[in-house]
PDB file of all heavy atoms in Angstrom:
ATOM      1  N   THR A  98       3.465  16.192   4.817  1.00 91.00           N
ATOM      2  CA  THR A  98       4.894  15.918   4.976  1.00 91.00           C
ATOM      3  C   THR A  98       5.679  17.217   5.125  1.00 91.00           C
ATOM      4  O   THR A  98       6.636  17.289   5.904  1.00 91.00           O
ATOM      5  CB  THR A  98       5.421  15.131   3.762  1.00 91.00           C
ATOM      6  OG1 THR A  98       4.688  13.904   3.639  1.00 91.00           O
ATOM      7  CG2 THR A  98       6.896  14.810   3.920  1.00 91.00           C
ATOM      8  N   LEU A 102       7.996  18.157   8.133  1.00 90.00           N
ATOM      9  CA  LEU A 102       9.415  18.418   7.891  1.00 90.00           C
ATOM     10  C   LEU A 102       9.841  19.748   8.498  1.00 90.00           C
ATOM     11  O   LEU A 102      10.912  19.841   9.124  1.00 90.00           O
ATOM     12  CB  LEU A 102       9.678  18.422   6.382  1.00 90.00           C
ATOM     13  CG  LEU A 102      11.144  18.362   5.936  1.00 90.00           C
ATOM     14  CD1 LEU A 102      11.817  17.115   6.464  1.00 90.00           C
ATOM     15  CD2 LEU A 102      11.234  18.428   4.425  1.00 90.00           C
ATOM     16  N   THR A 165      10.146  12.756  12.458  1.00 86.00           N
ATOM     17  CA  THR A 165      11.072  13.522  11.629  1.00 86.00           C
ATOM     18  C   THR A 165      12.102  14.247  12.485  1.00 86.00           C
ATOM     19  O   THR A 165      13.291  14.303  12.140  1.00 86.00           O
ATOM     20  CB  THR A 165      10.290  14.543  10.780  1.00 86.00           C
ATOM     21  OG1 THR A 165       9.275  13.869  10.043  1.00 86.00           O
ATOM     22  CG2 THR A 165      11.215  15.266   9.817  1.00 86.00           C
ATOM     23  N   PRO A 207      20.268  14.240   3.575  1.00 73.00           N
ATOM     24  CA  PRO A 207      19.309  13.123   3.661  1.00 73.00           C
ATOM     25  C   PRO A 207      17.860  13.549   3.868  1.00 73.00           C
ATOM     26  O   PRO A 207      16.995  12.694   3.999  1.00 73.00           O
ATOM     27  CB  PRO A 207      19.808  12.347   4.888  1.00 73.00           C
ATOM     28  CG  PRO A 207      20.391  13.394   5.772  1.00 73.00           C
ATOM     29  CD  PRO A 207      20.992  14.424   4.850  1.00 73.00           C
ATOM     30  N   ILE A 208      17.600  14.873   3.902  1.00 78.00           N
ATOM     31  CA  ILE A 208      16.234  15.323   4.170  1.00 78.00           C
ATOM     32  C   ILE A 208      15.287  14.872   3.066  1.00 78.00           C
ATOM     33  O   ILE A 208      14.137  14.502   3.327  1.00 78.00           O
ATOM     34  CB  ILE A 208      16.198  16.855   4.344  1.00 78.00           C
ATOM     35  CG1 ILE A 208      16.767  17.227   5.715  1.00 78.00           C
ATOM     36  CG2 ILE A 208      14.777  17.392   4.213  1.00 78.00           C
ATOM     37  CD1 ILE A 208      16.764  18.712   5.997  1.00 78.00           C
ATOM     38  N   PHE A 209      15.765  14.868   1.815  1.00 76.00           N
ATOM     39  CA  PHE A 209      14.911  14.426   0.714  1.00 76.00           C
ATOM     40  C   PHE A 209      14.494  12.977   0.899  1.00 76.00           C
ATOM     41  O   PHE A 209      13.339  12.614   0.664  1.00 76.00           O
ATOM     42  CB  PHE A 209      15.644  14.588  -0.614  1.00 76.00           C
ATOM     43  CG  PHE A 209      14.877  14.083  -1.799  1.00 76.00           C
ATOM     44  CD1 PHE A 209      13.809  14.793  -2.313  1.00 76.00           C
ATOM     45  CD2 PHE A 209      15.208  12.863  -2.387  1.00 76.00           C
ATOM     46  CE1 PHE A 209      13.088  14.322  -3.403  1.00 76.00           C
ATOM     47  CE2 PHE A 209      14.508  12.382  -3.468  1.00 76.00           C
ATOM     48  CZ  PHE A 209      13.439  13.114  -3.976  1.00 76.00           C
ATOM     49  N   VAL A 210      15.446  12.149   1.344  1.00 77.00           N
ATOM     50  CA  VAL A 210      15.129  10.738   1.586  1.00 77.00           C
ATOM     51  C   VAL A 210      14.140  10.612   2.735  1.00 77.00           C
ATOM     52  O   VAL A 210      13.157   9.860   2.657  1.00 77.00           O
ATOM     53  CB  VAL A 210      16.414   9.941   1.887  1.00 77.00           C
ATOM     54  CG1 VAL A 210      16.080   8.497   2.235  1.00 77.00           C
ATOM     55  CG2 VAL A 210      17.361   9.994   0.701  1.00 77.00           C
ATOM     56  N   ILE A 211      14.373  11.368   3.817  1.00 78.00           N
ATOM     57  CA  ILE A 211      13.466  11.349   4.961  1.00 78.00           C
ATOM     58  C   ILE A 211      12.064  11.781   4.543  1.00 78.00           C
ATOM     59  O   ILE A 211      11.059  11.176   4.924  1.00 78.00           O
ATOM     60  CB  ILE A 211      14.004  12.254   6.082  1.00 78.00           C
ATOM     61  CG1 ILE A 211      15.315  11.693   6.645  1.00 78.00           C
ATOM     62  CG2 ILE A 211      12.975  12.402   7.198  1.00 78.00           C
ATOM     63  CD1 ILE A 211      15.998  12.623   7.636  1.00 78.00           C
ATOM     64  N   ALA A 212      12.011  12.833   3.715  1.00 82.00           N
ATOM     65  CA  ALA A 212      10.713  13.348   3.271  1.00 82.00           C
ATOM     66  C   ALA A 212      10.000  12.341   2.384  1.00 82.00           C
ATOM     67  O   ALA A 212       8.773  12.190   2.461  1.00 82.00           O
ATOM     68  CB  ALA A 212      10.910  14.664   2.522  1.00 82.00           C
ATOM     69  N   THR A 213      10.742  11.633   1.532  1.00 82.00           N
ATOM     70  CA  THR A 213      10.124  10.652   0.640  1.00 82.00           C
ATOM     71  C   THR A 213       9.547   9.481   1.425  1.00 82.00           C
ATOM     72  O   THR A 213       8.436   9.018   1.151  1.00 82.00           O
ATOM     73  CB  THR A 213      11.141  10.135  -0.391  1.00 82.00           C
ATOM     74  OG1 THR A 213      11.736  11.250  -1.077  1.00 82.00           O
ATOM     75  CG2 THR A 213      10.474   9.227  -1.408  1.00 82.00           C
ATOM     76  N   ILE A 214      10.303   8.998   2.399  1.00 80.00           N
ATOM     77  CA  ILE A 214       9.794   7.922   3.251  1.00 80.00           C
ATOM     78  C   ILE A 214       8.593   8.419   4.059  1.00 80.00           C
ATOM     79  O   ILE A 214       7.580   7.723   4.198  1.00 80.00           O
ATOM     80  CB  ILE A 214      10.904   7.404   4.182  1.00 80.00           C
ATOM     81  CG1 ILE A 214      12.034   6.771   3.364  1.00 80.00           C
ATOM     82  CG2 ILE A 214      10.345   6.384   5.171  1.00 80.00           C
ATOM     83  CD1 ILE A 214      13.224   6.334   4.192  1.00 80.00           C
ATOM     84  N   GLY A 215       8.702   9.641   4.576  1.00 83.00           N
ATOM     85  CA  GLY A 215       7.595  10.204   5.350  1.00 83.00           C
ATOM     86  C   GLY A 215       6.350  10.436   4.518  1.00 83.00           C
ATOM     87  O   GLY A 215       5.233  10.376   5.036  1.00 83.00           O
ATOM     88  N   LEU A 216       6.531  10.682   3.204  1.00 88.00           N
ATOM     89  CA  LEU A 216       5.378  10.887   2.327  1.00 88.00           C
ATOM     90  C   LEU A 216       4.498   9.646   2.292  1.00 88.00           C
ATOM     91  O   LEU A 216       3.263   9.758   2.343  1.00 88.00           O
ATOM     92  CB  LEU A 216       5.860  11.241   0.918  1.00 88.00           C
ATOM     93  CG  LEU A 216       4.775  11.438  -0.147  1.00 88.00           C
ATOM     94  CD1 LEU A 216       3.813  12.541   0.264  1.00 88.00           C
ATOM     95  CD2 LEU A 216       5.420  11.767  -1.492  1.00 88.00           C
ATOM     96  N   GLY A 217       5.106   8.476   2.212  1.00 87.00           N
ATOM     97  CA  GLY A 217       4.324   7.244   2.250  1.00 87.00           C
ATOM     98  C   GLY A 217       3.575   7.087   3.560  1.00 87.00           C
ATOM     99  O   GLY A 217       2.408   6.672   3.577  1.00 87.00           O
ATOM    100  N   THR A 219       2.547   9.540   5.568  1.00 90.00           N
ATOM    101  CA  THR A 219       1.454  10.501   5.662  1.00 90.00           C
ATOM    102  C   THR A 219       0.286  10.102   4.758  1.00 90.00           C
ATOM    103  O   THR A 219      -0.873  10.293   5.129  1.00 90.00           O
ATOM    104  CB  THR A 219       1.938  11.907   5.290  1.00 90.00           C
ATOM    105  OG1 THR A 219       2.552  11.883   3.987  1.00 90.00           O
ATOM    106  CG2 THR A 219       2.936  12.423   6.300  1.00 90.00           C
TER     107      THR A 219
END
Side-chain angles (χ1 to χ4, degrees):
T98 301
L102 193 59
T165 306
I208 285 181
F209 177 75
V210 176
I211 294 173
T213 306
I214 296 175
L216 178 58
T219 55

